[in-house]
């Protein structure tokens, strides 16, 4: 877990604790009280990006949105954030609340929160969760989904979510999104879900991703096609955009305008972390954050084939060197430097995957300086693939502003 | 007449990699195949999910570890291959079994709720629940050098006292014993069972090469480590030394 940087104007969690003690109903009453209700985005992965995208789409429709910056200390953090926005009248201005939540937050919302819409991204099993089975993660998500009063938005390509949707009470509407067989076909290893459904959504049903090439994606609302320029390359970004669009449609109903929605996604700045492009000392570098084996595999598979300068930094956060071994890294082909506390371990894996590794340099600043000193590559951009710890060290060394969203 | 190579690729079978690859243990099959290639011979990995996938010739076998949810389906799938597993172990085909894969070859798995999952009965002993999960680095002194890896298991292993893989220098291994030093793993002929999960053979190439010598000997061939392997093994040694130094053990 990364240290958290305080946002300008961000409150400390202490008032939240106090308010939760003296007025325990404050948080639930406030969150349930927005005119367009409460929207919850949850799932194993992608929820943070999907939430940011959803907020951007809703704001583009003229809504004032209350949202959380992090899923940590959710009760105290939200209370503090809400308190900052209480006006003199004692009311909070805003049309809708959009919250990102972890799978384990079901107990937090049960019995108190009544979300209008719950959006589910996927069931993946990450390092922390890999000794819990997928059924357990799915059960946690079901607990949150059953709180929805109007619509459950779900990824129809994820078998656990598809089954969860079929088991919901008929009083709740289910809005489905997914990719077409052609898009799935581009990823022979799948999209990282614990299990993928055998069939894709039928043509014309739900929201579909019909094409993704680099940062360009095409989606179809029923039969109405639109294109999006994604904030970064990668299928997971395109699927996060689907989650956001489908959830925005469920939240806005008749007011939803797909043209406005897709334009607002295309206008988003590069999202921090995965696939972020930065310029340091006149050199363009792409940052690729790998947080679990699924995201590592997807990032390897969606890397531009001609990327000739790659630095891999795996840090102390990867406690067990076995963690990334299920990933087939052979697609990287040639890595200039392996770095970080686990430099030797990742270099060992790369060697067995037939990836040429020119240098092993555990010291991150030394590796970064050597990597940046190289002339610009003839093809592709300088690409740094890092774990969260590698990212933190990289940003610190390069003097880049850190971001509170990552945890 | 002495042969210098097989007339076909060396075949490493990876058993049930869809069910038993939680920690990338299935990658041990890839490690064996790569080292054979680096030694100048042809090699292939064949993933076996059911009997129909079985290749005609098998030169080495790798079984990885899975989640508890995979235990029953994996056991049932392995049962259909029990004859082959017997033939392999009796004819000195090297077999590496990690974690759950090892437990399934045993007499059985005692579960915390008192029920028992019957194993294949190929190796002596059984798995029994521990009070707390053992999750940490592990260092083992063995005939194949000092082995360094990572363990993560909620069960001990009882009944391997006669032929352990080695003695625990750091970590838990097979777990609680009323007397005697902590031991790790189990060996039976060329069957090697261990809690060291993930790429145990990549990090500990001496053990990998022991398995490969066994595989080559069956065909009257001599295994020689290739130049590429020598280079890669220096990286493995650095990775092991890093753990040893952190845990206050001597570096090699
Ligand atoms: Zn969990």
């Amino acid at each position: 877990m990364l240290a958290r940087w305080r946002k300008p104007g961000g409150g400390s969690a202490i008032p939240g604790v106090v308010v939760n003690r003296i007025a325990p109903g404050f948080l639930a009453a406030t969150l349930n009280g927005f005119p367009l209700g409460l929207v919850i985005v949850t799932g194993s992965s992608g929820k943070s990006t999907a939430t940011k995208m959803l907020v951007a789409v809703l704001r583009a429709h003229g809504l004032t949105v209350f949202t959380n910056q992090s899923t940590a200390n959710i009760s105290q953090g939200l209370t503090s954030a809400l308190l900052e926005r209480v006006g003199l009248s004692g009311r909070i201005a805003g049309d809708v609340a959009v919250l990102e939540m972890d799978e384990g937050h079901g107990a937090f919302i049960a019995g108190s929160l009544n979300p209008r819409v719950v959006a589910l991204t996927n069931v993946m099993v990450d390092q922390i969760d890999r000794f819990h089975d997928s059924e357990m993660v799915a059960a946690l998500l079901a607990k949150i989904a059953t709180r929805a009063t109007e619509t459950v938005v779900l990824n129809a390509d994820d078998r656990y979510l598809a089954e969860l949707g079929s088991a919901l009470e008929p009083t709740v509407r289910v809005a489905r999104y997914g990719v077409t067989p052609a898009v799935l076909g581009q990823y022979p290893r799948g999209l990282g879900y614990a299990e993928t459904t055998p069939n894709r959504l039928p043509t014309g049903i739900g929201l579909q991703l019909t094409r993704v090439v680099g940062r360009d994606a095409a989606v179809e609302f029923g039969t109405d096609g639109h294109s999006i320029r994604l904030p970064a390359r990668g299928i997971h970004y395109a699927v996060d955009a689907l989650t956001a669009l489908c959830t925005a449609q469920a939240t806005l109903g008749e007011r939803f305008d797909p043209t406005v929605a897709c334009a607002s996604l295309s206008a988003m700045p590069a999202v921090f972390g995965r696939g972020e492009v930065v310029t340091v000392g006149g050199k363009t570098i792409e940052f690729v954050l790998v947080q679990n084996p699924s995201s590592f595999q997807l990032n390897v598979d969606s890397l531009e084939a001609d990327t000739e300068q790659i630095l891999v930094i795996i840090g102390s956060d990867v406690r067990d060197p076995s963690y990334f071994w299920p990933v087939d890294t052979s697609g990287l082909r040639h890595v200039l430097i392996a770095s970080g506390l686990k430099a030797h371990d990742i270099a060992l894996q790369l060697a067995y995957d037939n990836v040429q590794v020119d240098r092993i340099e555990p010291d991150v600043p030394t590796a970064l300086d050597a990597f940046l000193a190289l002339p610009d590559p003839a093809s592709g951009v300088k690409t740094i693939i890092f774990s969260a710890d590698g990212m933190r060290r990289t940003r610190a060394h390069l003097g880049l502003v850190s971001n509170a969203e990552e945890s | 007449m002495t042969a210098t190579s097989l007339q076909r690729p060396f075949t490493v079978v990876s058993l049930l990699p869809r069910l038993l690859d939680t920690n990338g243990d299935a990658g041990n099959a890839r490690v064996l195949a790569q080292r054979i290639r680096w030694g100048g011979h042809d090699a292939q990995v064949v993933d076996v999910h059911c009997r129909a996938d079985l290749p005609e010739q098998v030169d080495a076998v790798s079984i990885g570890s899975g989640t508890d949810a995979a235990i029953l389906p994996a056991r049932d799938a392995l049962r259909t291959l029990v004859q082959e597993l017997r033939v392999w172990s009796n004819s000195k085909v090297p077999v590496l079994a990690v974690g759950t894969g090892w437990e399934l070859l045993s007499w059985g798995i005692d579960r915390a709720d008192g029920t028992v999952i019957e194993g294949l009965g190929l190796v002596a002993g059984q798995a029994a629940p521990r009070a707390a999960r053992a999750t940490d680095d592990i260092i083992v002194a063995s005939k194949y050098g000092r082995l360094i890896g990572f363990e993560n298991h909620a069960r001990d292993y009882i009944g391997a006292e006669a032929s352990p893989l080695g003695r625990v220098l750091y970590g838990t291994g097979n777990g609680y014993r009323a007397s005697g030093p902590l031991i790790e793993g189990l060996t039976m002929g060329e069957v090697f069972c261990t809690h060291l999960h993930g790429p145990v053979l990549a990090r500990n190439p001496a053990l990998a090469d022991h398995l490969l010598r066994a595989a080559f000997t069956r065909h009257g061939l001599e295994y020689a480590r290739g130049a590429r392997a020598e280079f890669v093994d220096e990286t493995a040694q650095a990775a092991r030394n890093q753990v040893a130094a952190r845990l206050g053990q001597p570096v090699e």
Side-chain angles (χ1 to χ4, degrees), chain A residues 130-154:
Chain A
R130 66 187 162 150
F131 302 108
H132 304 164
D133 45 56
S134 315
E135 276 87 2
M136 180 171 157
V137 176
L140 290 171
L141 294 179
K143 207 168 177 177
I144 300 177
T146 51
R147 298 297 303 177
T149 59
E150 196 176 303
T151 309
V152 171
V153 177
L154 60 84

Side-chain angles (χ1 to χ4, degrees), chain A residues 76-317:
Chain A
Q76 295 162 22
L78 284 174
T79 305
S80 305
L82 282 167
L83 281 174
E84 284 166 31
R85 298 182 41 164
V86 180
L88 288 175
S89 65
R91 300 198 70 97
I92 289 169
D95 300 307
V96 66
V98 175
L99 299 185
E100 173 198 345
M101 282 194 187
D102 289 334
E103 304 98 295
H105 284 148
F108 164 64
I109 68 165
S112 64
L113 297 187
N114 300 309
R116 229 184 101 218
V117 179
V118 171
L120 306 172
T121 60
N122 52 55
V123 175
M124 293 188 186
V125 179
D126 66 16
Q127 180 170 32
I128 296 124
D129 269 336
R130 66 187 162 150
F131 302 108
H132 304 164
D133 45 56
S134 315
E135 276 87 2
M136 180 171 157
V137 176
L140 290 171
L141 294 179
K143 207 168 177 177
I144 300 177
T146 51
R147 298 297 303 177
T149 59
E150 196 176 303
T151 309
V152 171
V153 177
L154 60 84
N155 183 342
D157 295 325
D158 185 304
R159 186 176 75 80
Y160 285 101
L161 297 184
E163 285 179 4
L164 188 164
S166 314
L168 286 169
E169 296 291 331
T171 48
V172 176
R173 200 175 74 87
V174 178
R176 294 178 171 84
Y177 63 88
V179 306
T180 58
V183 169
L184 188 63
Q186 290 171 239
Y187 300 88
R189 274 182 281 258
L191 303 181
Y193 311 140
E195 277 190 48
T196 302
T197 45
N199 301 309
R200 312 278 63 78
L201 283 175
T203 309
I205 299 295
L207 173 61
Q208 301 201 11
L209 177 71
T210 55
R211 179 176 161 270
V212 60
V213 177
R215 286 180 59 188
D216 292 307
V219 296
E220 273 185 26
F221 299 86
T223 53
D224 179 21
H226 290 264
S227 54
I228 303 167
R229 178 87 172 144
L230 297 167
R233 187 159 34 75
I235 178 72
H236 32 51
Y237 267 101
V239 176
D240 293 345
L242 280 190
T243 312
L245 289 170
C246 201
T247 310
Q249 193 173 28
T251 307
L252 290 160
E254 292 292 298
R255 287 174 69 183
F256 179 74
D257 182 338
T259 308
V260 170
C262 291
S264 64
L265 288 183
S266 305
M268 282 183 77
V271 180
F272 181 78
R274 310 177 299 185
E276 181 189 14
V277 175
V278 298
T279 306
V280 177
K283 311 254 183 178
T284 303
I285 317 166
E286 181 165 351
F287 286 164
V288 178
L289 174 63
V290 292
Q291 290 175 295
N292 52 50
S294 300
S295 77
F296 199 157
Q297 189 69 65
L298 281 172
N299 279 302
V300 168
D301 292 351
S302 51
L303 205 69
E304 299 283 1
D306 57 358
T307 306
E308 66 178 53
Q309 289 188 8
I310 300 175
L311 164 62
V312 180
I313 309 174
I314 304 297
S316 57
D317 51 335

Side-chain angles (χ1 to χ4, degrees), chain B residues 220-243:
Chain B
L221 298 172
E222 200 172 318
Y223 166 77
R225 185 172 71 146
R228 171 84 179 140
E230 282 176 41
F231 176 76
V232 172
D233 291 353
E234 286 175 21
T235 304
Q237 185 178 40
R240 290 197 308 276
N241 277 339
Q242 198 179 21
V243 176

Side-chain angles (χ1 to χ4, degrees), chain B residues 114-233:
Chain B
T115 59
V116 179
I117 296 175
E118 203 186 319
L120 272 67
L122 246 67
V123 299
Q126 74 208 66
R130 297 177 48 76
R133 180 175 279 280
T135 306
D136 203 350
D137 300 290
I138 175 168
I139 306 185
V140 177
S142 85
K143 260 165 70 182
Y144 318 96
R146 186 175 65 176
L147 308 175
I148 298 190
F150 204 88
E151 62 180 332
N152 188 328
H153 49 102
R155 285 179 290 271
D156 284 340
Y157 196 91
I158 303 161
E161 289 73 17
S163 52
L165 174 60
R167 188 166 47 83
V168 175
L169 298 175
Y170 179 92
T172 302
N174 295 358
Y176 173 80
R177 288 182 74 188
S179 64
L182 277 182
I183 54 170
E184 159 54 24
L186 177 158
T187 63
M188 183 190 80
E190 299 301 343
V191 178
F192 289 78
C193 301
T194 183
H195 290 105
L196 274 66
H197 74 206
V200 53
L201 296 184
R203 292 183 106 198
N204 302 282
L207 180 58
D209 286 350
H210 174 83
L211 298 179
L212 292 176
R213 273 191 297 275
F216 276 60
T217 302
R218 291 181 67 243
H219 299 291
L221 298 172
E222 200 172 318
Y223 166 77
R225 185 172 71 146
R228 171 84 179 140
E230 282 176 41
F231 176 76
V232 172
D233 291 353

